[in-house]
Amino acid sequence: MSLDAILSDIAACRACAGDLPHTPRPVVMVKRETRILICGQAPGRRVHESGLPFTDPSGDRLRAWMGIDAETFYGRPEIGVAAMAFCFPGTNPKGGDYPPPPRCAALWRKPLLAALPKVELTLLVGGYAQAWALGEAAKANMTETVRAWRDHLPRYLPLPHPSWRNTGWLRRNPWFEAEVTPYLRQTVRDILTP
């Protein structure tokens, strides 16, 4: 199946319509030229409203980690975003968003990835993406998986979620910004430089 056909089917997908508190609005941003694929959890409320991935403060932090601006992030076809679930799963009254419905990954992940043969690096943003992509190679928790980031190179780079909720995590784990982000910035530069 071609990438265009898969993206058309994803845009029309309503598989979770009965489970979501709103009309599904799949958000995915990939092209045939995608070489860096960002795989997070699921769109948040702001992304659901904008229809573009990472149009929120977590996107600002992610772009800072990558060493790029918004124009590069949205304008370069080498950069793509395909979360574990393409629709906003809703807000949990206890705080944060609900987890990504597994149905989305089961339906779309394998055919979409098969249609993106140029991907060199996948950023696994958060525990859900890490568990799906790494399987048994994922550690007991997100912190340990990210701490073992070198074990998954060059194909995968596990990252914490760039949400403001992880500001405390970043303070407690200064090695992340000292070791991982310089590697990420250099790799992004290398891939985007002709």
Side-chain angles (χ1 to χ4, degrees), residues 3-15 23-28 86-87 104 108 112:
L3 179 60
D4 289 343
I6 293 168
L7 291 175
S8 177
D9 287 351
I10 289 171
C13 182
R14 298 297 178 263
T23 302
R25 184 180 192 185
V27 176
V28 61
F86 300 134
C87 295
C104 191
W108 300 115
L112 180 62

Side-chain angles (χ1 to χ4, degrees), residues 118-173:
K118 294 183 179 179
V119 172
E120 298 171 38
L121 175 67
T122 300
L123 305 182
L124 302 175
V125 182
Y128 290 102
Q130 292 162 15
W132 190 90
L134 301 176
E136 292 182 7
K139 305 295 183 194
N141 57 53
M142 185 274 300
T143 299
E144 292 309 310
T145 301
V146 175
R147 192 182 306 276
W149 61 279
R150 290 177 182 90
D151 295 349
H152 310 293
L153 298 176
R155 185 173 179 195
Y156 297 117
L157 180 60
L159 303 174
H161 196 283
S163 165
W164 63 269
R165 294 176 190 278
N166 278 338
T167 299
W169 185 93
L170 292 168
R171 272 195 225 107
R172 291 187 306 275
N173 296 280

Side-chain angles (χ1 to χ4, degrees), residues 39-94:
C39 175
Q41 177 171 307
R45 179 174 304 283
R46 288 186 189 181
V47 171
H48 173 73
E49 292 167 359
S50 73
L52 278 174
F54 288 103
T55 51
D56 53 19
S58 66
D60 295 337
R61 180 177 272 169
L62 176 62
R63 287 184 285 276
W65 289 348
M66 295 173 73
I68 58 175
D69 59 16
E71 184 179 347
T72 302
F73 187 84
Y74 295 109
R76 293 292 297 264
E78 298 93 339
I79 299 172
V81 180
M84 293 307 299
F86 300 134
C87 295
F88 170 52
T91 303
N92 186 332
K94 296 177 183 177

